[in-house]
Amino acid sequence: MVSISSAPPWNVQRLPRADGRVFLVTGGNAGIGYFVAEQLSATGATVVLGSRNPAKAEAAMASIRARVRGSRVRAVGLDLADLSSLSTAVESLEVERLDAVVHNAGVALDDPPREETGDGHELMFGTNHLGHFALTQWLMPLLSASPAARVVTMGSFAAKSERLDLDDLQSRRDYRPKRVYGRSKLAQMYFGVELDRRLRAAASTVASVVVHPGGALDSLTPSRPPIHVRTAGARLSAAPAALLVQGKHAGAWPAVRAVLDPAVRGGQLWGPRVFGLRGEPRREPVWNHLADPSIAARLWDASCDLTGADVNTISG
C-alpha cells in the first residue's frame, strides 16, 4: 500500500494560514528580517517588527501594507545593544502570548576599531548574541503561553568555518571584524541548539530551531523602496552570482518555514537546498561543531554571567 502524506509539499509561494497567531521579528525593518516579516504577514498572522529605528520601522510597515492586502503589522522599539531596555520592549508588545520569535537582528562591522555596547560588550557579540539571549528570558512567559511556540534563531553560513574562543568571547585580544561577526552568529546558533536541549529537559511546549539564509546578496534582492532599491546595473552585474547565491527574499525562506511548518522540530537546522547557499529551504545535518554540548554549555553559562539572565527563566 502506498502511504500518502496528509501534508502538501512545502511551497514558498503558498504559505499556510496563521490567522490569530502573533510573530515577532527582530530587525524586521530591513534586509532578510524585512522579507521574513513580509512573507509572514501574508499568512494572516499579526507580525510585530522589533526595530531600534522608528522611521525605518514605519517605512517597512508601509511597504508591507502596500504589498500584502489586509496585513496586520505593527512595530515596537527594540535595541538589543541595551540590555536594560529589553523588559520594557517586551511589555510594549501588549499581547497575552507569542507564537514565534525570529531572532534576526544583527550588526556587522567591516572595519576596525572595535566598538562596545553601553553595557561594555563587544558590539557584534553583544548585540547579535547576548541581546537575543537576554531577550529570550523576557519573552519566555509569552512563548510558554502559546500551545506550540517557536524560537527561530537566524545564524549565518559564515559561522560554518568559525570556532568560538571561549576565553576571549569579547574579542579583546584579537579583533578582526569579519571573524568576530562570524563568531557572533556561531554563538547565536549554539544558543539555539542548547536552548532546545534545555526546553526538552524541562518538558516545555516551546521549540527552538536554528536556520541560516545561505548566500543572500542585496544585488539579487527585489526592490522594496525606500527600504531597498536595486538598480538595473546591479541586477545585471549580479546575474552570474545567481548561479551560486540568492537574494534576501529567498534568504528569508528557511526562517519562514521554521515558524510555520508543523513538520519542523526543535533542535533542527534549516538552510537553502543547493549547497546550503541558495534554493528552497531544507533540513540539513547540524554542523559537527554545533553539536558539541560542552561548548554550548560553557557559552550558556558565560552568557548568563554577562547578561545577568536567569538560566531557569530562559529554559521555560
Side-chain angles (χ1 to χ4, degrees):
M1 179 181 292
V2 177
S3 174
I4 300 176
S5 172
S6 60
W10 188 261
N11 186 333
V12 297
Q13 305 300 334
R14 294 186 178 181
L15 300 175
R17 298 295 298 178
D19 300 88
R21 296 165 72 186
V22 182
F23 305 137
L24 170 64
V25 183
T26 72
N29 59 276
I32 292 171
Y34 167 82
F35 285 98
V36 171
E38 183 185 280
Q39 291 165 31
L40 290 176
S41 292
T43 69
T46 296
V47 179
V48 184
L49 312 184
S51 173
R52 60 186 173 135
N53 187 314
K56 290 183 178 180
E58 286 293 335
M61 289 190 292
S63 178
I64 291 172
R65 289 167 181 154
R67 286 168 175 79
V68 182
R69 185 176 180 180
S71 59
R72 298 176 178 87
V73 59
R74 59 189 182 88
V76 296
L78 179 66
D79 184 356
L80 292 164
D82 181 2
L83 298 180
S84 66
S85 71
L86 298 182
S87 62
T88 301
V90 171
E91 287 177 7
S92 70
L93 288 172
E94 296 182 340
V95 295
E96 295 182 356
R97 76 170 198 277
L98 187 64
D99 296 286
V101 56
V102 180
H103 286 329
N104 161 83
V107 174
L109 302 181
D110 293 326
D111 302 301
R114 180 181 177 277
E115 297 183 33
E116 292 188 349
T117 69
D119 298 304
H121 303 305
E122 188 281 317
L123 185 61
M124 288 184 276
F125 178 72
T127 303
N128 302 354
H129 170 60
L130 294 179
H132 284 117
F133 184 90
L135 176 64
T136 304
Q137 171 187 225
W138 298 110
L139 289 176
M140 194 54 69
L142 297 176
L143 293 163
S144 298
S146 171
R150 293 183 179 177
V151 177
V152 177
T153 298
M154 180 72 75
S156 170
F157 197 76
K160 193 168 189 177
S161 59
E162 292 294 345
R163 300 295 183 271
L164 292 182
D165 183 348
L166 291 166
D167 296 319
D168 190 26
L169 289 172
Q170 304 276 12
S171 302
R172 290 192 171 94
R173 291 198 299 264
D174 185 8
Y175 180 79
R176 284 176 274 175
K178 283 184 170 44
R179 189 182 71 173
V180 171
Y181 171 77
R183 287 182 172 182
S184 74
K185 299 302 287 185
L186 178 58
Q188 275 191 272
M189 296 173 81
Y190 269 117
F191 166 60
V193 173
E194 180 66 12
L195 176 62
D196 197 72
R197 285 195 196 103
R198 293 174 184 248
L199 291 169
R200 298 288 69 75
S204 174
T205 58
V206 182
S208 174
V209 185
V210 178
V211 302
H212 71 87
L217 303 182
D218 280 329
S219 55
L220 294 173
T221 302
S223 290
R224 293 291 189 271
I227 300 160
H228 167 68
V229 177
R230 180 174 62 161
T231 65
R235 185 168 59 251
L236 289 173
S237 64
L243 296 172
L244 294 174
V245 293
Q246 59 194 357
K248 293 185 176 180
H249 63 301
W253 291 343
V256 170
R257 183 166 188 176
V259 168
L260 296 173
D261 188 351
V264 173
R265 296 288 180 265
Q268 294 179 347
L269 173 64
W270 287 73
R273 184 176 302 277
V274 182
F275 305 120
L277 290 172
R278 66 181 297 273
E280 296 206 2
R282 68 169 176 90
R283 182 185 175 188
E284 59 183 83
V286 174
W287 303 337
N288 288 339
H289 56 304
L290 270 182
D292 187 334
S294 64
I295 294 177
R298 288 180 61 192
L299 174 64
W300 185 284
D301 290 343
S303 301
C304 284
D305 290 342
L306 291 168
T307 62
D310 182 337
V311 62
N312 296 315
T313 304
I314 294 177
S315 302

